[in-house]
Amino acid sequence: MQDMGFSCRIPCVKPLLNNRQRQNGLKTKRTGLLLRREERHTNPRCLRSSVKFLQSVMVWGAMSSAGVGPLCFLRSKVNTAVYQEVLDHFMLPAADHLYGDADLIFQQDLAPAHSAKATSNWFKDHDIPVLNWPANSPDLNPIENLWGIGKMKMRYARPKNAEELKATIRATWALITPEQCHRLIDSMPRRIAAVIQAKGAPTKY
């Protein structure tokens, strides 16, 4: 992109500094440090600031080619019992909304609560097939890209507490369109081909 005469292909990610932090940084002296004032990778016009939220939340969400399901904000560590509650109260309603009477195959990663025998029995009891999935394969999971889209939309948000953060996440999630979800699901053949070409190594996805 072009900005004020400086060409920046990929912006560096740096912590966002307030005015006081910037002034303190100007006062710091380091012996032997050589600075190039016009280096593109440190010029403020070429930097993208990263923000550390004071609050954090755990959230579960689901998607299909028809769109996203409701979000679930988790209050505790996800064990088998907690995960099955999420499936009962959030995944099943999402499946009814997104699929209706159509058949579905559920995809999840191999977190301990997901791969537990009790969870496997839950899916069998509800007659829901689960896609066999390789461990550590985020490039094959389109929802990882969807979370990335959400984070990008939130990059200028400044929530002051956990409740504001939740509200921001909900509002951002609501902006995700079925078309975006469909494009991500439609990319699966290309993702699989890329993994095969890379012989199982990480890909651009």
Side-chain angles (χ1 to χ4, degrees):
M1 63 180 179
Q2 296 291 326
D3 181 18
M4 298 295 291
F6 292 90
S7 176
C8 305
R9 291 175 180 243
I10 302 177
C12 299
V13 178
K14 299 292 183 180
L16 182 66
L17 302 178
N18 58 35
N19 289 332
R20 181 176 59 83
Q21 291 169 329
R22 291 179 182 178
Q23 293 302 318
N24 288 342
L26 290 174
K27 295 177 182 178
T28 303
K29 296 180 179 179
R30 299 289 180 87
T31 304
L33 182 63
L34 177 62
L35 298 178
R36 294 185 179 180
R37 297 177 63 86
E38 295 301 325
E39 287 248 311
R40 292 180 180 178
H41 69 280
T42 56
N43 191 289
R45 296 184 179 89
C46 295
L47 298 181
R48 177 167 60 85
S49 298
S50 64
V51 178
K52 294 181 179 179
F53 292 130
L54 297 178
Q55 300 288 337
S56 64
V57 295
M58 293 179 61
V59 61
W60 179 94
M63 67 172 289
S64 77
S65 60
V68 297
L71 293 176
C72 174
F73 291 96
L74 304 165
R75 298 180 180 179
S76 62
K77 183 179 179 181
V78 180
N79 56 29
T80 303
V82 171
Y83 186 53
Q84 289 182 28
E85 287 186 9
V86 172
L87 296 174
D88 278 322
H89 299 294
F90 290 88
M91 193 279 279
L92 289 179
D96 288 338
H97 172 71
L98 296 170
Y99 285 92
D101 295 329
D103 294 333
L104 67 91
I105 300 177
F106 189 69
Q107 185 273 321
Q108 58 182 357
D109 60 30
L110 297 182
H114 299 180
S115 56
K117 184 177 181 180
T119 301
S120 177
N121 291 336
W122 185 95
F123 283 108
K124 290 178 181 177
D125 292 341
H126 290 80
D127 197 26
I128 298 175
V130 178
L131 186 65
N132 188 22
W133 203 251
N136 299 322
S137 55
D139 48 355
L140 286 174
N141 194 344
I143 201 170
E144 297 294 341
N145 300 99
L146 199 64
W147 292 124
I149 291 171
K151 290 179 181 178
M152 180 64 67
K153 290 178 180 292
M154 291 175 56
R155 65 189 182 277
Y156 298 121
R158 299 294 183 269
K160 298 183 179 67
N161 52 53
E163 290 306 313
E164 287 190 8
L165 178 56
K166 289 180 182 179
T168 302
I169 294 172
R170 289 191 187 98
T172 303
W173 189 251
L175 294 175
I176 295 173
T177 66
E179 290 76 18
Q180 287 177 300
C181 296
H182 182 78
R183 285 196 296 270
L184 288 173
I185 298 297
D186 197 46
S187 70
M188 281 304 299
R190 298 191 297 276
R191 293 167 185 265
I192 294 171
V195 170
I196 294 173
Q197 184 175 7
K199 298 181 179 179
T203 70
K204 68 177 183 178
Y205 296 100

